[in-house]
Amino acid sequence: MGAMGAAEPLHSVLWVKRRRCAVSLEPARALLRWWRSPEPGPSAPGADARSVLVSEIIAVEEKDDCEKHASSGRWHKMENPFAFTVHRVKRVRHHRWKWARVTFWSADEQLCHLWLQTLRGLLESLTSRPKHLLVFINPFGGKGQGKRIYEKTVAPLFTLASITTEIIITEHANQAKETLYEINTDSYDGIVCVGGDGMFSEVLHGVIGRTQQSAGIDPNHPRAVLVPSTLRIGIIPAGSTDCVCYSTVGTNDAETSALHIIIGLKTFLSHQYYEGTLSFLPAQHTVGSPRDNKPCRAGCFVCRQSKQQLEEEEKKALYGLENAEEMEEWQVTCGKFLAINATNMSCACPRSPGGLSPFAHLGDGSSDLILIRKCSRFNFLRFLIRHTNQEDQFDFTFVEVYRVKKFHFTSKHVEDEDNDSKEQEKQKFGKICKDRPSCTCSASRSSWNCDGEVMHSPAIEVRVHCQLVRLFARGIEEES
């Protein structure tokens, strides 16, 4: 292999453990791949091919002579093997991430050096990664394990990723918030809080408050337009419940959170919204409403009565007496939405006892349609936190909830395409992919998640059917 430019792909034969492997690096896709290649010459990737996005490589490390000779073993035929190790993110079950590594060997020192420098160059080009962090540790939260969790699990990963830190171990409540108001935060790429939800709340209020203070804005003024902060916040769970971490990462595992911080993910802070038109048909047959404080229980009156009234409507339509849907009026609303949720049951879980819609009913032939309009990051977080407590999560000006039989949604992106089909080629990638050169998704600007199944079309039509199946379940019984 001759010398190549930084933007050109690399292809080599290297050793991984006891196996001869073909290894490729495609800078255009920012993808590193390797697969077993027992025979000389080029080979195509097989079922055993492994890959990792460059954006999910933690660090690339050259192995020193002592490590190389100690690890090489008798299987190596190389007299002077050279090697480099790629430290990477490995996904395991239940949204957890683990630190994994793979070492590549070669007898060619220059080849190893080329791989090492190319990979490091690609990592240095990732501008979203933090370089210097301010860390607040609450030593009292949860079981008092915050300091130990940070030192044992988080600090080694930050060191590996060449992230420098300044650590403040808090001694009293609100110290983190007070500190953020007082110090100069310009030198930090982000703030990390090690603790529970209370610690995160302190840091959140400190970051937002300090930003408004610097901009000369009174956050308590009713018409104040708050300025977003350039600082990112990372959460290392070390509390009793860690609801915020669980809601934004999917698990309350410290190693997972540390890896999210290292590779710079901004899923929540990016604050993606979707613009379009929503039409829905209100469920006038149901005797309940999304905020009537009547949960669905065994022998549910709301489900029985609603089904009976729905059957009456269907009989009238069948005999031509009247068309129920013509009698009802579709409602139409347009705007920018952070989320559009539809659920025909509460979707409660141990982390969210009330669920997405606490008073939704499984058998009333309707769905609760929840619209979260574009709002500030702080308000959206307040809405998310409401799912973990007993407060009304719909009691916000930017949240609307309706009980519906049908709804349609068409994104502005699709509407624009209908008006001018030529724009389709110009808008090949959606907004969410602009910082992901490896992404090869379609032109859709949004997608729907249907109980874990992703539907890539942004235009959708949903209709609710009433009690088509029965369950081996009596329903939730009222507590005596």
Side-chain angles (χ1 to χ4, degrees):
M1 180 182 67
M4 295 185 179
E8 297 181 19
L10 295 179
H11 297 282
S12 301
V13 174
L14 303 172
W15 287 87
V16 178
K17 294 184 178 179
R18 299 172 181 264
R19 296 181 177 180
R20 184 179 184 274
C21 292
V23 187
S24 72
L25 175 65
E26 303 171 49
R29 296 178 62 195
L31 186 69
L32 173 67
R33 303 181 75 193
W34 64 98
W35 60 93
R36 192 174 183 184
S37 179
E39 301 298 329
S43 64
D48 64 337
R50 309 289 294 274
S51 65
V52 60
L53 291 170
V54 172
S55 61
E56 295 184 1
I57 294 176
I58 304 166
V60 184
E61 182 180 51
E62 184 176 14
K63 298 189 75 69
D64 59 39
D65 291 338
C66 294
E67 286 184 298
K68 285 186 288 189
H69 290 297
S71 304
S72 59
R74 294 181 181 177
W75 63 273
H76 268 298
K77 297 180 180 179
M78 302 174 238
E79 293 183 2
N80 297 303
F82 299 91
F84 62 95
T85 298
V86 174
H87 300 268
R88 65 186 182 93
V89 169
K90 179 182 179 181
R91 287 172 170 79
V92 293
R93 294 191 303 169
H94 307 305
H95 306 289
R96 294 183 67 184
W97 290 8
K98 304 295 290 182
W99 167 28
R101 70 204 82 180
V102 56
T103 299
F104 298 94
W105 304 82
S106 174
D108 187 335
E109 182 179 10
Q110 289 187 341
L111 180 60
C112 267
H113 187 72
L114 176 61
W115 275 93
L116 189 70
Q117 295 304 313
T118 303
L119 285 169
R120 283 179 173 173
L122 289 173
L123 292 181
E124 290 172 1
S125 69
L126 299 175
T127 57
S128 64
R129 293 198 170 188
K131 299 286 192 299
H132 189 47
L133 297 171
L134 176 61
V135 180
F136 289 101
I137 300 176
N138 180 3
F140 309 111
K143 298 180 181 179
Q145 298 295 307
K147 189 172 181 290
R148 185 190 65 83
I149 288 173
Y150 180 81
E151 292 175 347
K152 182 180 179 181
T153 304
V154 181
L157 289 172
F158 282 178
T159 300
L160 179 65
S162 300
I163 295 175
T164 59
T165 59
E166 290 186 31
I167 301 171
I168 297 177
I169 299 176
T170 59
E171 299 176 351
H172 56 82
N174 287 320
Q175 182 179 346
K177 179 181 177 181
E178 294 166 359
T179 302
L180 288 168
Y181 269 90
E182 296 169 357
I183 66 172
N184 185 349
T185 59
D186 292 345
S187 62
Y188 303 111
D189 301 309
I191 313 295
V192 174
C193 55
V194 183
D197 296 334
M199 187 64 170
F200 170 74
S201 179
E202 268 193 48
V203 170
L204 178 69
H205 283 85
V207 168
I208 293 175
R210 173 57 187 268
T211 303
Q212 310 319 307
Q213 183 186 70
S214 300
I217 296 173
D218 178 8
N220 297 316
H221 192 282
R223 294 185 179 179
V225 178
L226 302 189
V227 177
S229 173
T230 57
L231 285 172
R232 287 177 284 172
I233 301 176
I235 312 169
I236 302 297
S240 300
T241 55
D242 303 309
C243 292
V244 178
C245 182
Y246 196 92
S247 298
T248 55
V249 178
T251 180
N252 57 350
D253 174 63
E255 183 176 354
T256 300
S257 294
L259 292 172
H260 274 265
I261 293 168
I262 288 169
I263 69 173
L265 290 177
K266 297 184 289 184
T267 303
F268 171 69
L269 296 179
S270 65
H271 215 51
Q272 178 78 12
Y273 66 85
Y274 308 96
E275 186 172 5
T277 301
L278 186 79
S279 307
F280 61 89
L281 186 64
Q284 296 183 358
H285 70 277
T286 181
V287 299
S289 67
R291 301 177 70 181
D292 60 9
N293 291 317
K294 294 178 181 178
C296 192
R297 293 292 183 261
C300 181
F301 171 81
V302 172
C303 291
R304 288 204 317 272
Q305 289 295 107
S306 299
K307 182 185 180 184
Q308 184 177 342
Q309 293 188 192
L310 184 60
E311 289 174 343
E312 291 295 324
E313 290 181 2
E314 291 172 346
K315 286 179 182 178
K316 291 179 181 179
L318 181 64
Y319 292 107
L321 298 178
E322 64 181 42
N323 189 321
E325 291 192 5
E326 289 182 358
M327 299 284 292
E328 298 172 308
E329 292 187 1
W330 283 80
Q331 296 187 24
V332 180
T333 183
C334 303
K336 299 175 181 179
F337 304 95
L338 289 178
I340 300 173
N341 299 328
T343 176
N344 60 349
M345 59 181 177
S346 68
C347 293
C349 67
R351 294 279 178 176
S352 179
L356 289 178
S357 187
F359 309 114
H361 288 264
L362 184 60
D364 70 342
S366 70
S367 175
D368 284 0
L369 181 64
I370 307 164
L371 311 181
I372 301 94
R373 293 187 180 270
K374 186 182 178 184
C375 62
S376 68
R377 294 171 175 84
F378 177 64
N379 279 336
F380 187 52
L381 182 62
R382 289 171 62 204
F383 166 73
L384 293 178
I385 293 176
R386 286 278 179 95
H387 290 74
T388 67
N389 55 39
Q390 299 299 316
E391 295 184 69
D392 183 4
Q393 63 233 47
F394 303 133
D395 190 22
F396 292 103
T397 57
F398 55 90
V399 177
E400 302 167 32
V401 59
Y402 306 95
R403 190 150 286 176
V404 304
K405 293 201 302 186
K406 294 182 179 181
F407 73 89
H408 307 157
F409 177 79
T410 305
S411 72
K412 186 175 185 299
H413 175 61
V414 172
E415 294 172 342
D416 290 343
E417 283 184 336
D418 291 339
N419 295 332
D420 187 1
S421 61
K422 293 181 180 180
E423 287 295 315
Q424 186 172 5
E425 287 301 316
K426 297 179 182 178
Q427 303 288 345
K428 184 175 182 182
F429 295 113
K431 180 179 179 182
I432 202 169
C433 304
K434 66 180 182 180
D435 296 323
R436 292 282 304 275
S438 60
C439 184
T440 57
C441 68
S442 65
S444 300
R445 296 221 174 187
S446 62
S447 59
W448 292 84
N449 185 313
C450 185
D451 199 22
E453 295 293 324
V454 176
M455 304 166 63
H456 292 289
S457 173
I460 193 171
E461 178 177 348
V462 176
R463 177 184 175 188
V464 181
H465 299 271
C466 186
Q467 299 189 28
L468 296 185
V469 296
R470 291 179 292 173
L471 303 178
F472 284 115
R474 296 185 178 182
I476 301 173
E477 297 180 346
E478 293 284 1
E479 294 182 1
S480 58

